[in-house]
Amino acid sequence: QVQFVESGGGLVQPGGSLRLSCAASGSDFRLYTMGWYRQAPGKQRELVATITSGGTTNYADSVKGRFTISRDNAKNTVILHMNSLKPEDTAVYYCNLDVSKYSIGRKTWGQGTQVTVSS
């Protein structure tokens, strides 16, 4: 079964940058559209960015121009580069299959990694 482990979060000042990493395990990772999601306290989980098996990307309007998603299929990794961070970016960030495409993604949420943007 596919599983994901996120890392790279931390405390940064507004305007700062972070690089989040996602290590994937399981079969057929190369075939899936992947996504980064985030959930702030008291809020619903939301989609941040997606990347297809071929490298096509899509971003939420709130992060467009600031975040970049990438993947290395040979290494089973997905990366989220986060620049010009804002306090409203504070959340737990999760890597997963694109749950809008694959129902199995409902069962593959990991622990996430905490990002806190504060002065």
Side-chain angles (χ1 to χ4, degrees):
Q1 183 182 25
V2 63
Q3 294 180 330
F4 305 102
V5 179
E6 302 91 343
S7 63
L11 174 64
V12 297
Q13 294 185 355
S17 299
L18 283 174
R19 179 184 183 272
L20 306 185
S21 297
C22 171
S25 63
S27 300
D28 300 322
F29 167 80
R30 286 174 162 83
L31 304 179
Y32 296 127
T33 297
M34 297 292 300
W36 280 96
Y37 301 78
R38 67 186 182 186
Q39 187 169 27
K43 305 292 185 181
Q44 291 188 334
R45 183 181 289 120
E46 64 176 343
L47 181 66
V48 175
T50 60
I51 183 166
T52 69
S53 62
T56 301
T57 59
N58 196 25
Y59 299 91
D61 288 341
S62 59
V63 307
K64 193 171 297 181
R66 300 188 298 120
F67 292 9
T68 302
I69 187 172
S70 61
R71 70 192 297 164
D72 186 336
N73 288 336
K75 297 180 180 179
N76 279 16
T77 59
V78 185
I79 305 298
L80 186 68
H81 293 273
M82 310 168 68
N83 300 313
S84 302
L85 284 162
K86 305 174 180 179
E88 51 263 45
D89 295 318
T90 296
V92 177
Y93 283 71
Y94 301 88
C95 172
N96 201 359
L97 308 171
D98 182 346
V99 296
S100 73
K101 295 181 178 292
Y102 316 110
S103 61
I104 189 64
R106 301 176 187 273
K107 303 177 181 179
T108 56
W109 296 105
Q111 290 185 318
T113 185
Q114 176 71 50
V115 172
T116 302
V117 185
S118 177
S119 60

